[in-house]
Amino acid sequence: MFRRDRPTAGPATDHTSEDRTAVPLIAAAGVSVVLDARPILDGVDLGVSPGHIVTVVGPNGAGKTTLVRVLLGLLPPSAGHVNRRPGLRVGYLPQRLSFDPVLPLTVARLMTLTVRRSRSAVLAALAETGGDHLITTPVQALSGGELQRVLLARALLREPDLLVLDEPVQGVDFTGEAELYRLIGTIRDRRGCGVLMVSHDLHVVMAATDHVVCINRHVCCAGAPAQVTRHPAYRSLFGARAAAVAVYPHHHDHTHGPGGEVVPLNPPPAAGTGG
Amino acid sequence: MLDDFFTRALLAGIGVALAAGPLGCFIVWRRMAYFGDTMAHSALLGVALGFALGIDLTLGVVMITTVAALLLVFMQRAPWLSMDTLLGIMAHSTLSIGLIAVSLMAWLRIDLMAYLFGDILAVGRADVMWIYLSASGVLVVLAAIWRPLLAVTVHEDLARAEGVPAGPVRLLFMLLIAVVIAFAMKVVGILLITSLLIIPAAAARRAARTPERMAVLAALIGAIAVILGLHGSLYWDLPSGPAIVTAAALLFLLSLAPRPRTAAAARPARSVPHAPAPPKEGQ
């Protein structure tokens, strides 16, 4: 299958946004979307290569989710086109996933919604995101943070070439946020998959990203996080808040387990990923 | 064995219930109760069409209910009318047109009550055979589309993004509803079909932890309702269709009874064994 062709991700050493030689997994070229005569997106270009984390930031109503829907093939663009590598396998973590209590669903069953996998494979995927203790829990009983871990594990179980995460830290508290972004970085390092993330928050996500695309209907600016935060368009878009936000590559000497307990990091992580 | 009208009725009813239970689960999960009801209301028009064209009545019903379902899906795009209004319009206008069509065919002397409320005690051997053939067909197709249909039911965008063909799967599902309506009509009648789809599924919910178990339970509960209802009908001389539905409703009420152990298992405490959850977390 196609997944064999991807550049093997050895110990991921270089994820700078300049290293974009690989064929993109997915690329939007001049994508415009008009809904009910209202322009939502205008001429957006964007590509995600294997092993790269691309984050789309922008204010509410900027068209971030619409862009994701176009990239995933859920919404046809009014103009422009989307190229996906043939046979591309996508793992998707949608925004605002809620479960109807009338449908009984355990985490184990949710995990195998679109793939057939053995229970041990399900457990392994859950362990990768720190959610293995939740396997028999009904999905309706999950907290916000637990749900995102489970959904991330579910996407990983598909062994995706491309992870698409729409607001992955929703409903997650602040420490959990940084933790979740770190986890996404770790997954990229380990699996070499491309990651497309959507976020409206700025500073934590910047540290975990190779390439930032700042949109407000059109692409305002794009580049490595350090460049983007200095860009005038970015500052005008996010106002005074942006000025206060420095790119924030940082190290932790400990992390938090799924129950919030402190887990020491041994050995400490390699160099920070920020620009 | 099949010489006895009561045995035939039991077999026919159980056959319908076994297919209606699992299918009804999806109707409940997808919040399509009134969608199914509207399809059922249009079935009388299908009967009229069958008579007018001289084709098999079941085929006429499947055709008309499918058209009604497609029409509903199409009209859903009208943003100025809500779905419940559309369903109300469709359900009662198709039923009325069906009643008029049947009454205009003066040469027909059909028992309208049998179509509206069912006449399970009159099913013949051929009917029983057809019910089991269609019920197994429905179950085989449902099993084949089970996984994609469940994925689409949980989250349509997620399913589509991960390659599930949502459109064809949904279309096939509506066709299955149409087939079940066509042969459940004989058992409980047009006006009561929805109950046979929905009540067993609803009664199964609290005892089930996975969708698959809920489907199996719904089939069993439906079958038990048929057995209880028909015996009630035999011993107290009750109308059979309403007796079956009433039995199903009683089973549903029974499922609401507090069962401490099962209820606790269905909703365990938030599984954070160590520290108290951070204040912002939770939903």
Side-chain angles (χ1 to χ4, degrees):
Chain A
M1 282 277 295
F2 269 92
R3 295 191 304 109
R4 300 266 177 265
D5 318 339
R6 75 181 170 207
T8 37
T13 43
D14 189 16
H15 295 300
T16 57
S17 47
E18 287 72 35
D19 174 29
R20 297 172 69 80
T21 47
V23 183
L25 297 165
I26 197 165
V31 163
S32 299
V33 173
V34 179
L35 289 178
D36 296 329
R38 217 160 50 92
I40 309 290
L41 288 174
D42 183 21
V44 173
D45 298 315
L46 186 150
V48 185
S49 302
H52 280 267
I53 299 184
V54 175
T55 302
V56 176
V57 297
N60 285 329
K64 302 186 294 287
T65 294
T66 304
L67 177 59
V68 167
R69 286 174 55 82
V70 171
L71 284 166
L72 289 173
L74 300 173
L75 184 72
S78 316
H81 54 94
V82 173
N83 283 327
R84 305 165 127 229
R85 204 176 68 182
L88 180 76
R89 201 195 299 239
V90 172
Y92 177 38
L93 197 156
Q95 190 179 12
R96 268 191 279 285
L97 188 58
S98 63
F99 297 100
D100 195 329
V102 78
L103 174 56
L105 201 62
T106 59
V107 166
R109 190 62 188 81
L110 172 69
M111 294 287 291
T112 53
L113 205 54
T114 60
V115 285
R116 279 175 198 276
R117 291 287 185 277
S118 68
R119 193 170 174 92
S120 58
V122 168
L123 260 177
L126 280 168
E128 195 167 344
T129 64
D132 45 337
H133 61 298
L134 300 168
I135 187 160
T136 58
T137 311
V139 289
Q140 292 89 355
L142 296 174
S143 74
E146 288 169 343
L147 177 62
Q148 297 307 88
R149 281 173 191 274
V150 165
L151 289 176
L152 191 56
R154 196 202 63 81
L156 290 180
L157 193 58
R158 296 177 50 80
E159 290 156 37
D161 309 303
L162 176 69
L163 266 179
V164 178
L165 315 169
D166 196 348
E167 301 277 7
V169 298
Q170 253 188 138
V172 180
D173 64 291
F174 187 76
T175 46
E177 247 178 60
E179 189 55 31
L180 206 54
Y181 283 127
R182 251 176 44 79
L183 179 60
I184 292 164
T186 312
I187 287 165
R188 182 273 314 268
D189 294 345
R190 202 178 301 153
R191 300 188 171 227
C193 57
V195 178
L196 176 67
M197 243 191 306
V198 166
S199 183
H200 66 257
D201 71 7
L202 301 172
H203 60 297
V204 186
V205 70
M206 290 292 195
T209 296
D210 304 314
H211 190 77
V212 176
V213 180
C214 178
I215 69 166
N216 193 13
R217 283 195 200 153
H218 61 103
V219 175
C220 297
C221 51
Q227 297 158 4
V228 167
T229 43
R230 269 184 257 113
H231 197 285
Y234 173 84
R235 300 210 167 198
S236 73
L237 200 56
F238 289 104
R241 208 146 61 94
V245 170
V247 178
Y248 180 46
H250 57 298
H251 304 285
H252 286 286
D253 61 349
H254 69 278
T255 179
H256 295 271
E261 69 277 17
V262 171
V263 178
L265 274 184
N266 267 330
T273 46
Chain B
M1 175 178 92
L2 283 173
D3 291 338
D4 176 26
F5 78 96
F6 189 70
T7 312
R8 284 197 305 266
L10 267 181
L11 286 175
I14 291 171
V16 169
L18 291 181
L23 201 65
C25 286
F26 274 105
I27 292 182
V28 167
W29 296 334
R30 298 178 63 78
R31 297 167 177 258
M32 287 172 68
Y34 282 94
F35 193 97
D37 205 38
T38 303
M39 285 176 72
H41 274 67
S42 69
L44 193 62
L45 199 55
V47 172
L49 181 82
F51 277 122
L53 298 182
I55 57 170
D56 182 59
L57 296 188
T58 309
L59 188 64
V61 171
V62 170
M63 278 164 55
I64 287 288
T65 48
T66 307
V67 168
L70 293 178
L71 207 60
L72 275 174
V73 170
F74 179 74
M75 286 201 303
Q76 249 176 320
R77 295 181 192 159
W80 60 91
L81 281 179
S82 66
M83 193 61 189
D84 64 326
T85 306
L86 282 175
L87 289 172
I89 294 171
M90 278 284 283
H92 298 109
S93 51
T94 50
L95 181 61
S96 300
I97 296 169
L99 287 167
I100 289 174
V102 170
S103 76
L104 282 181
M105 290 187 262
W107 64 94
L108 280 184
R109 289 176 47 206
I110 64 166
D111 179 6
L112 206 53
M113 288 299 276
Y115 285 104
L116 293 181
F117 296 105
D119 194 7
I120 192 175
L121 299 180
V123 295
R125 284 166 181 238
D127 292 325
V128 174
M129 195 191 74
W130 272 111
I131 283 175
Y132 275 85
L133 273 180
S134 353
S136 2
V138 164
L139 286 177
V140 165
V141 175
L142 186 62
I145 63 168
W146 184 274
R147 186 171 286 268
L149 184 58
L150 188 68
V152 171
T153 301
V154 170
H155 196 286
E156 179 152 345
D157 272 1
L158 178 84
R160 283 177 59 204
E162 295 183 347
V164 175
V169 165
R170 250 183 299 141
L171 198 67
L172 218 48
F173 173 60
M174 280 191 286
L175 203 61
L176 291 183
I177 301 178
V179 171
V180 167
I181 286 172
F183 68 81
M185 198 170 69
K186 287 210 162 63
V187 176
V188 287
I190 288 165
L191 296 181
L192 297 178
I193 285 170
T194 313
S195 55
L196 214 53
L197 289 163
I198 286 169
I199 301 177
R205 169 61 186 97
R206 280 185 73 202
R209 302 228 327 141
T210 64
E212 289 75 17
R213 198 161 301 174
M214 180 161 154
V216 171
L217 274 175
L220 291 178
I221 292 172
I224 294 171
V226 166
I227 294 169
L228 292 179
L230 280 178
H231 279 91
S233 158
L234 186 66
Y235 294 125
W236 294 302
D237 197 21
L238 307 174
S240 52
I244 291 171
V245 175
T246 306
L250 288 176
L251 290 175
F252 170 70
L253 282 180
L254 214 62
S255 82
L256 296 180
R259 276 162 308 168
R261 281 189 59 197
T262 321
R267 262 182 246 104
R270 247 190 217 156
S271 30
V272 179
H274 314 289
K280 259 181 72 182
E281 201 167 42
Q283 41 191 16

